[in-house]
Amino acid sequence: MVSRVIPVDPFDLVIFGGTGDLARRKILPGLYRRFLAGQMPEEARVIGAARSEMSDDDYRAMIGQSIREFVARGKQDEEAIGKFLARVHYVAIDATGEAGWKALKAATRKDVIQVVYFSVAPSLFGPLAERLHQKGIACATCRIVVEKPFGRDLATARALNGTLAEHFHENQIYRIDHYLGKETVQNLMAVRFGNMLFEPLWNAQYVDHIQITAAETVGVGGRGSYYDKSGAMRDMVQNHLMQLLCLIAMEPPSQFEPDAVRDEKLKVIRALDPVAPEEIVRGQYQPNGAAPGYRQDVQNAESLTESFIAMRLHVSNWRWKGTPFYLRTGKKLKARASEIAVVFKDPPHSIFGQQEGRRGNVLAIKLQPNEGMTLRVTIKEPGPGGMRLVEVPLDMSFAEALGPNGTDIPDAYERLVMDVVRGNQTLFMRDDEVEAAWAWADPVIAGWEERGDRPCAYEPGSAGPEEAQILMHRDGRRWREIRE
Ligand SMILES: NC(=O)c1ccc[n+]([C@@H]2O[C@H](COP(=O)([O-])OP(=O)(O)OC[C@H]3O[C@@H](n4cnc5c(N)ncnc54)[C@H](OP(=O)(O)O)[C@@H]3O)[C@@H](O)[C@H]2O)c1
């Protein structure tokens, strides 16, 4: 199978925060890969912008270094890197100041697509939007890309949306959630809506429950002070896990078109029931020998912030009434693994006796580290000796199924940046979606804050607190193994 690469139209991409971690680790290496694939046209330009003074050549040296560090070796072609870097420029500019804007204006062209990526702290979104407008850099067709966190509650998200709306129309704003840029996530829609096989079964009558897991092995690292004010609910559930839940639970949109898809996602968020305290388990990883625990990592001995959360949700609509959605995410868990598992009900009657033939099918959609899907089915164990049943996975690992091109699956960021250039907002969150997700999350967070709930302890390298296992066992179910 050969993947088609269709070049995008010429563009100027200005990256505010062009010297930051996200730009160096993800955005620019991703752009280089698109350049290498032939998708970035000759006339495209990338302009890094940040406060530090440096020349184009200094910046090119920095980005060349990032490409060598963050792009797979097999993709490091020195000639191509040189050609890509020739399209990269730098302007020193303070998003809150007055200097540098003339130079930026001179560096951008009016006759190509203009994109400004806000890869800076959210406190700079307002001043940046305002200046882009005042200084005549943002035009009516200019697109802006906004990074998470998009607010820390409904009030701050509304304020941020309001500020951006003063200067940009909603169809110019691309709120990025990199989970939506993953190949598998889009494939989830293809599998659901491009086949007759699954959709008739995709409801409470046939689906026992759904599990969504995003497990990390790392702790909070250098982000301790930010993370302690956020926690797993704000950092992961309100955005990434909620978006995955929406794609699993939504009704088929009438078209694969931005607002049609986002309307359906919004209906799912609005159909979520409030979450009762006994449906939530929060945890904090403990010290392990010399390795610090969560409270040491964030330097807050009294912290009640969760580095792990598991919860049971209910979507109150005709399709899903009675099918629980279990979500869990956490740091310092046993493996780095993100997946969605649709667990189907057991057959209503076993013709093979009590024990056999009663295993439910599971469609597992793996998001990382290796993207792919497996469908667990029951078959007869090969060989003589009677009818013994075994479960086997029908495996569709993309790297294998798509041959040599399978390993060329674009990273979420590179795909999403190209979508911005194409002007396709399908995989970006709309203002009302973000606000609805906060409107759901706020009372849940307020509940545990008012009660002063203390997170449960869990061992680093485990599957999270024991209480999270009990959450499932109470319902006669079990979490899937967390493994890569
Ligand atoms: N890193 C990630 O993996 C990741 C993932 C998801 C979301 N995000 C979000 O993406 C944004 C950027 O994250 P990051 O990790 O790249 O942050 P970072 O490493 O701290 O970089 C911040 C960037 O902003 C620039 N900057 C700071 N103040 C500025 C100002 N007043 N005017 C112009 N530029 C300014 C900095 O350069 P100077 O100091 O030279 O100005 C630097 O280039 C944040 O909103 C973050 O929450 C990051």
Side-chain angles (χ1 to χ4, degrees):
M1 203 181 303
V2 179
S3 70
R4 279 184 306 149
V5 174
I6 302 166
V8 296
D9 290 334
F11 62 86
D12 282 344
L13 168 63
V14 180
I15 307 173
F16 271 86
T19 57
D21 174 70
L22 185 66
R24 283 187 288 113
R25 217 159 36 83
K26 290 285 179 189
I27 307 170
L28 280 138
L31 282 164
Y32 162 73
R33 280 192 292 264
R34 290 296 87 207
F35 175 77
L36 200 62
Q39 196 166 28
M40 189 170 147
E42 287 283 309
E43 306 88 335
R45 260 191 229 156
V46 182
I47 301 151
R51 290 169 305 180
S52 313
E53 288 294 339
M54 63 172 86
S55 65
D56 278 355
D57 283 345
D58 295 338
Y59 188 59
R60 286 173 185 149
M62 175 192 264
I63 300 309
Q65 185 61 35
S66 299
I67 292 171
R68 288 176 197 103
E69 195 176 342
F70 298 114
V71 172
R73 275 188 184 256
K75 300 263 165 197
Q76 292 185 21
D77 174 332
E78 281 307 317
E79 198 184 331
I81 294 176
K83 284 187 181 161
F84 171 75
L85 291 177
R87 288 160 181 77
V88 174
H89 304 264
Y90 181 80
V91 176
I93 199 163
D94 184 338
T96 61
E98 298 306 317
W101 298 98
K102 265 194 185 153
L104 182 59
K105 194 169 180 185
T108 52
R109 298 163 290 176
K110 286 285 172 224
D111 55 346
V112 297
I113 295 165
Q114 279 190 28
V115 181
V116 183
Y117 201 126
F118 289 26
S119 182
V120 288
S123 58
L124 295 175
F125 291 177
L128 180 52
E130 197 176 320
R131 277 170 184 70
L132 286 170
H133 216 87
Q134 271 173 5
K135 310 289 178 187
I137 292 163
C139 58
T141 54
C142 166
R143 293 154 202 173
I144 61 166
V145 185
V146 184
E147 264 298 337
K148 83 163 202 186
F150 205 83
R152 55 170 281 107
D153 52 24
L154 178 58
T156 49
R158 270 197 186 137
L160 209 47
N161 279 334
T163 306
L164 295 179
E166 282 173 29
H167 307 287
F168 299 94
H169 190 270
E170 180 60 28
N171 67 16
Q172 295 178 273
I173 304 170
Y174 291 72
R175 293 175 195 80
I176 214 160
D177 183 324
H178 69 272
Y179 269 59
L180 295 184
K182 290 185 178 291
E183 180 76 14
T184 341
V185 171
Q186 289 161 76
N187 229 321
L188 172 61
M189 287 188 272
V191 166
R192 270 194 73 186
F193 305 130
N195 297 288
M196 199 53 204
L197 191 60
F198 295 108
E199 199 49 27
L201 308 179
W202 210 261
N203 56 51
Q205 196 182 343
Y206 297 103
V207 176
D208 179 69
H209 72 280
I210 287 165
Q211 299 186 18
I212 304 179
T213 298
E216 295 178 88
T217 49
V218 294
V220 294
R223 296 168 71 217
S225 62
Y226 158 76
Y227 193 91
D228 202 37
K229 294 189 201 81
S230 163
M233 178 72 168
R234 288 189 171 97
D235 194 47
M236 292 293 293
V237 177
Q238 183 274 345
N239 39 59
H240 304 315
L241 270 57
M242 186 56 59
Q243 288 293 318
L244 299 181
L245 185 150
C246 285
L247 293 178
I248 284 280
M250 72 181 187
E251 294 300 314
S254 60
Q255 307 273 335
F256 189 60
E257 184 268 312
D259 278 332
V261 172
R262 298 187 297 180
D263 287 347
E264 295 306 334
K265 281 162 58 193
L266 181 63
K267 286 183 205 163
V268 174
I269 304 175
R270 290 187 173 153
L272 285 172
D273 284 351
V275 193
E278 62 274 15
E279 295 179 302
I280 306 170
V281 175
R282 296 162 64 241
Q284 272 181 355
Y285 59 83
Q286 298 302 295
N288 186 11
Y294 176 79
R295 290 182 173 181
Q296 290 82 35
D297 272 348
V298 299
Q299 296 178 2
N300 178 1
E302 306 290 316
S303 174
L304 295 180
T305 304
E306 73 285 355
S307 59
F308 173 96
I309 189 165
M311 58 205 312
R312 182 178 62 188
L313 305 188
H314 300 277
V315 180
S316 272
N317 61 19
W318 272 51
R319 186 187 282 265
W320 293 117
K321 192 73 188 172
T323 294
F325 288 70
Y326 297 92
L327 272 50
R328 75 180 154 167
T329 180
K331 295 197 172 285
K332 288 232 175 163
L333 297 178
K334 62 196 297 186
R336 176 173 171 262
S338 297
E339 70 158 31
I340 304 166
V342 181
V343 181
F344 290 90
K345 290 185 176 172
D346 291 336
H349 164 68
S350 168
I351 65 166
F352 304 109
Q354 281 302 307
Q355 298 304 312
E356 292 142 329
R358 300 181 59 84
R359 300 154 219 238
N361 300 113
V362 178
L363 178 68
I365 300 133
K366 289 209 168 290
L367 308 179
Q368 61 188 21
N370 302 311
E371 295 196 52
M373 292 192 197
T374 58
L375 177 65
R376 189 178 77 187
V377 291
T378 301
I379 60 162
K380 177 190 168 296
E381 196 175 276
M387 180 62 92
R388 288 190 309 271
L389 302 180
V390 287
E391 295 159 36
V392 291
L394 292 180
D395 198 333
M396 198 178 103
S397 150
F398 292 152
E400 286 165 25
L402 303 181
N405 289 304
T407 53
D408 283 350
I409 296 171
D411 167 69
Y413 275 95
E414 56 190 282
R415 175 194 310 278
L416 291 172
V417 172
M418 289 297 116
D419 275 1
V420 179
V421 174
R422 281 197 211 94
N424 186 341
Q425 287 186 304
T426 310
L427 300 174
F428 297 84
M429 292 176 293
R430 207 169 53 192
D431 53 356
D432 50 2
E433 266 185 274
V434 173
E435 291 179 17
W438 280 121
W440 168 80
D442 274 3
V444 180
I445 297 170
W448 71 60
E449 284 179 354
E450 277 159 25
R451 292 188 301 271
D453 289 356
R454 303 184 74 77
C456 312
Y458 67 94
E459 294 302 316
S462 69
E466 197 50 36
E467 288 80 351
Q469 306 301 323
I470 295 169
L471 176 79
M472 274 287 205
H473 291 174
R474 272 198 323 239
D475 295 347
R477 300 182 173 106
R478 57 176 55 214
W479 289 106
R480 283 164 58 81
E481 183 75 14
I482 298 177
R483 62 167 160 236
E484 289 192 1

